[in-house]
Amino acid sequence: MTQKRNLSTEKIIEAAKVIINKEGAEKLSFSKVAGVLGVHSQAMYPYFADKEELKIAVINDFLDSLTEQIKEELQGISGKEALRIYGRKLHELLLIQPRLTRLAFGGIDYSQKEEARNHFKDLVELLENLIEPFAKNDVDIINRARLYRAVIFGYVQNELWGLFKLVLVPAQTSFEFTLEEAIATITA
């Protein structure tokens, strides 16, 4: 049992992620998080005003984790290979935690949540920095980054919905083909 004085924002976020990964974001509640932590739900109010604030904190943590893991993979790598690694790693990480992915990329309006938008922006800027050497100007960088993100998120979404399970070509094979086509377009 976690004592109230040992409770922290990080522990609450981790417990919330366990619930979301197991049951989905719609089942998240202070009482369930408190149950995982072995505290009363009232003990969490000094850390989070409500469930929505907790969800935003979980999304921010998830986005930061994605960005950091991709950065680790990119150490000392640039060019087309860096784009390949970014795409493959983001694809992999999003599929590993499908319920967190659905929450972060389907359960929030980033135009209304500035803090979360800033965390997402870090992930996007990482990609834009990889694309910059191949682009003519800032608008070109944005357009190429949107194309690349659309490929990655489109495949993730289709895989999470099960739309690629009933076809002759495995989803990973199609993803690799499409990723290479996108890289060729972006770096042309």
Side-chain angles (χ1 to χ4, degrees), residues 106-122:
I108 181 174
D109 179 353
Y110 283 94
S111 69
Q112 302 297 314
K113 304 290 183 186
E114 184 177 357
E115 183 183 356
R117 183 173 60 244
N118 289 336
H119 289 264
F120 179 67
K121 187 175 157 193
D122 293 340

Side-chain angles (χ1 to χ4, degrees), residues 78-83 127-137 140-141 144 183-188:
S78 61
K80 291 180 181 181
E81 185 59 23
L83 286 168
L127 175 59
E128 289 175 345
N129 289 337
L130 299 176
I131 290 172
E132 185 176 11
F134 304 104
K136 298 175 203 131
N137 54 48
D140 198 32
I141 292 170
R144 290 170 192 243
I183 290 169
T185 298
I186 288 166
T187 59

